[in-house]
């Protein structure tokens, strides 16, 4: 658009924009400061209050017993001359024994040398028979072996 003003001539069109100048150089980066030291650990705090106790669980069923002591017995014999081969059976009375149960005889102390307790059965109610391994030949021999009798299961 052209505008006329007094005392001047007609104004011309605007010229093209000039070329942009160069960008200045970037300044140097500043130094990073040193890291500070870690502080000392604080004092341990007090232990908190104990929580409330839980509700007790229900009691389980009673399981089967491994064995029950029936009683004690003494297995004893004496003889002038004894000749035995293999297992000798000694019968003794013991209340509370029944033929339908299984039993075991356990020596209370070590048996005499050459003797060994083998098995234990109840052939008649109230009586038990214990198998003993004895020496083959004894002269004027005797033995006394105290045992505990247990019912199994």
């Amino acid at each position: 658009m052209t505008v006329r003003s007094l005392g001047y001539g007609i104004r011309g069109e605007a010229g093209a924009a000039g070329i942009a100048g160069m960008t200045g150089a970037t300044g140097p980066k500043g130094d990073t400061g040193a890291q500070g030291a870690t502080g000392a650990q604080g004092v341990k705090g007090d232990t908190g209050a104990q929580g409330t106790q839980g509700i007790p669980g229900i009691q389980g069923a009673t399981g089967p017993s491994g064995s029950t002591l029936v009683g004690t017995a003494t297995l004893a014999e004496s003889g002038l001359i004894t000749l035995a081969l293999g297992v000798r059976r000694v019968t003794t009375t013991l209340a509370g024994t029944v033929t339908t149960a299984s039993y075991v005889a356990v020596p209370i102390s070590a048996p005499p040398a050459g003797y060994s307790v083998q098995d234990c059965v109840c052939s008649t109610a109230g009586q038990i028979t214990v198998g003993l391994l004895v020496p083959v030949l004894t002269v004027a021999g005797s033995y006394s072996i105290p045992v505990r009798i247990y019912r199994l299961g």
Side-chain angles (χ1 to χ4, degrees), residues 103-126:
Y103 296 93
V104 65
V106 179
I108 294 173
S109 58
Y115 292 84
S116 176
V117 176
Q118 298 298 309
D119 63 341
C120 182
V121 294
C122 178
S123 54
T124 306

Side-chain angles (χ1 to χ4, degrees), residues 74-95:
T74 300
L75 311 175
E77 272 188 323
S78 62
L80 186 57
I81 298 176
T82 306
L83 178 63
L85 181 59
V87 177
R88 181 175 215 110
R89 302 207 69 79
V90 178
T91 302
T92 185
T93 303
L94 187 61

Side-chain angles (χ1 to χ4, degrees), residues 8 20 39 41 46 56-57 60 64 90 95 108 110 117 136 140 146-147:
Y8 298 149
Q41 184 171 352
D46 294 334
V90 178
I108 294 173
V117 176
V136 175
V147 293

